[in-house]
Amino acid sequence: MATAILNATIAGFNSTTTYTTVFEEISKYNVQLNYFERLWAAWYLWMQNDTLATGIMSFVMHEVIYFGRSLPWIIIDAIPYFNRYKLQNQKVPSWREQWECAALVLLSHCTVELPQIWLFHPIAVYFGLEYGVPFPPAWKIAMHIAIFFVLEDTWHYWFHRALHYGPLYRTIHKLHHTYSAPFGLVAEYASPIEVMLLAFGTVGSPIVWVSITGDLHMITMYLWIVFRLFQAIDAHSGYDFPWSLHHFLPIWAGAEHHDVHHEKFIGNYASSFRWWDYFMDTEAGAEASKRRRDKKLAQIRAKKAQ
C-alpha cells in the first residue's frame, strides 16, 4: 500500500511518532496528493498495520454514520409538527422503544459485525481491492457505487423474499418485524443470521466485482457503505416528505415503499429500487392491490366474452 508508494517519507518514523508528524511529512514530500489522500496515507503509515488500520477505521465509520444518521429521525419523532409527514402517524415510537432498539443494534455491531469487519481487509485485499493513494477519479467512484446499488438491490430482493418463507421467517426474520411502524434505528435491528445474509449484498457484491474486474478502491467501498447506510436508515424512517427522492426518481423505493412492507408484513421486498417488486408482482399496498384486482376482473371478462 502506501508504505511502498511513500517509502521516502517513513525512514525516520518509529513507535513514538505522532499521527500529526506523519501527516506533515507526507504533506511535505507528496504535494501531488490532495488533503484527504494525505490524511488517508498518514493513517496507514502511522498505524503500520494495514489490517488494524482498516478495521478501526471501518468500525468507527460504521458507528458514526449509523447512529449519526439515525439521530435526526429520533429528533423528528419527538417534534409533533413532523407527524403530518409520518406514514403511520398513529404509531410514534416511544423513547423506551428507541433506547431498547439502539442497545440491541449496538450489541449486534460489537458481537456480530465487528469480527466480520476485522476479517474484511485481508479477504478484500486477497481478491484485489486497492487501498493506496491517489484515489480513483470521481466518475469511476460514482460508476462503481451505482453498480453496487443495483447488485445489492437484486441480492436483497431475493434473500429478503426468501426470509418471508414460514420457517425462515419464524427463526430468522421475525425479529426485524418487531416494529410494524419502523423508525431509523430499526434498519439493522435483526438476528445475527439475517445481518450476515443481507450484509453480503452490501459487502460481498463489491468483493465479487473486484475479483472479476480487478478494479476497486477502498475509498469507493467506504463511500458506497455510507450511501447504503443512509438508504437503509431513511427507508426505515417512517417519513415521506414532499422532497423525498422517490417523488423525483419514481424507481427509487424509499420509506413510502418499505413502510408498507413493515405494516403489511409482506411484499415490497427490494431495498433501493421498485423494479423487482413490479416485475415479480410482489408490490404491496392499496394501489398494487387495486391493479391486481383490475387485472383479474379484466381476465374474467375476457373469458366470459369468448
Side-chain angles (χ1 to χ4, degrees):
M1 188 295 210
T3 49
I5 300 171
L6 307 170
N7 209 24
T9 68
I10 64 173
F13 294 167
N14 55 53
S15 59
T16 62
T17 303
T18 66
Y19 173 77
T20 303
T21 301
V22 177
F23 176 74
E24 289 172 352
E25 286 296 304
I26 287 175
S27 299
K28 188 187 303 181
Y29 295 106
N30 296 274
V31 294
Q32 78 279 9
L33 301 178
N34 66 42
Y35 181 75
F36 295 105
E37 289 168 341
R38 284 179 272 144
L39 286 173
W40 179 279
W43 169 251
Y44 277 96
L45 291 176
W46 180 65
M47 288 297 295
Q48 296 191 23
N49 182 318
D50 292 349
T51 299
L52 187 62
T54 298
I56 292 173
M57 186 160 54
S58 300
F59 185 73
V60 170
M61 179 202 72
H62 184 270
E63 300 311 289
V64 169
I65 297 298
Y66 188 85
F67 290 105
R69 182 55 188 152
S70 296
L71 183 59
W73 297 117
I74 295 172
I75 295 170
I76 286 172
D77 274 327
I79 302 174
Y81 171 82
F82 291 105
N83 192 253
R84 69 189 70 185
Y85 300 114
K86 190 162 178 63
L87 291 157
Q88 298 183 60
N89 58 14
Q90 76 283 9
K91 300 177 183 177
V92 178
S94 66
W95 287 106
R96 180 176 179 178
E97 285 177 319
Q98 302 225 36
W99 174 256
E100 289 176 348
C101 178
L104 190 140
V105 168
L106 183 59
L107 178 65
S108 175
H109 287 178
C110 294
T111 57
V112 179
E113 295 187 19
L114 184 57
Q116 297 176 64
I117 287 172
W118 221 253
L119 291 171
F120 168 73
H121 182 93
I123 293 172
V125 171
Y126 172 80
F127 283 105
L129 186 73
E130 294 289 336
Y131 61 107
V133 287
F135 296 152
W139 68 265
K140 181 176 284 189
I141 293 174
M143 180 188 72
H144 285 166
I145 290 173
I147 291 169
F148 300 154
F149 262 114
V150 173
L151 293 176
E152 190 283 330
D153 184 71
T154 301
W155 175 273
H156 192 102
Y157 174 85
W158 289 105
F159 270 83
H160 186 193
R161 186 174 176 179
L163 289 177
H164 276 263
Y165 169 69
L168 294 179
Y169 179 83
R170 289 191 296 271
T171 57
I172 299 174
H173 192 50
K174 188 176 180 179
L175 178 64
H176 184 67
H177 278 275
T178 299
Y179 305 99
S180 60
F183 47 93
L185 285 164
V186 173
E188 292 186 357
Y189 185 85
S191 69
I193 296 174
E194 180 173 351
V195 169
M196 288 186 286
L197 270 176
L198 295 183
F200 184 83
T202 302
V203 180
S205 295
I207 291 178
V208 171
W209 170 267
V210 73
S211 69
I212 296 170
T213 66
D215 183 20
L216 183 61
H217 195 280
M218 183 80 77
I219 193 65
T220 305
M221 187 76 175
Y222 279 172
L223 289 172
W224 151 240
I225 290 172
V226 168
F227 281 117
R228 172 69 177 117
L229 285 172
F230 267 63
Q231 178 276 322
I233 294 164
D234 290 359
H236 287 85
S237 68
Y239 288 88
D240 185 43
F241 298 103
W243 54 86
S244 293
L245 183 59
H246 79 92
H247 293 298
F248 307 98
L249 186 66
I251 61 171
W252 187 252
E256 185 266 341
H257 182 266
H258 195 66
D259 201 86
V260 176
H261 173 77
H262 274 263
E263 184 182 14
K264 306 296 184 185
F265 292 90
I266 194 167
N268 290 7
Y269 299 114
S271 57
S272 297
F273 305 107
R274 297 176 183 245
W275 51 56
W276 278 113
D277 284 296
Y278 177 80
F279 287 116
M280 301 309 297
D281 196 25
T282 53
E283 290 180 297
E287 288 185 17
S289 297
K290 185 179 182 300
R291 281 199 302 272
R292 289 192 195 95
R293 191 163 54 248
D294 291 346
K295 184 178 179 181
K296 192 170 288 186
L297 286 171
Q299 290 173 341
I300 292 171
R301 291 193 193 100
K303 283 184 178 179
K304 287 181 177 179
Q306 290 177 350

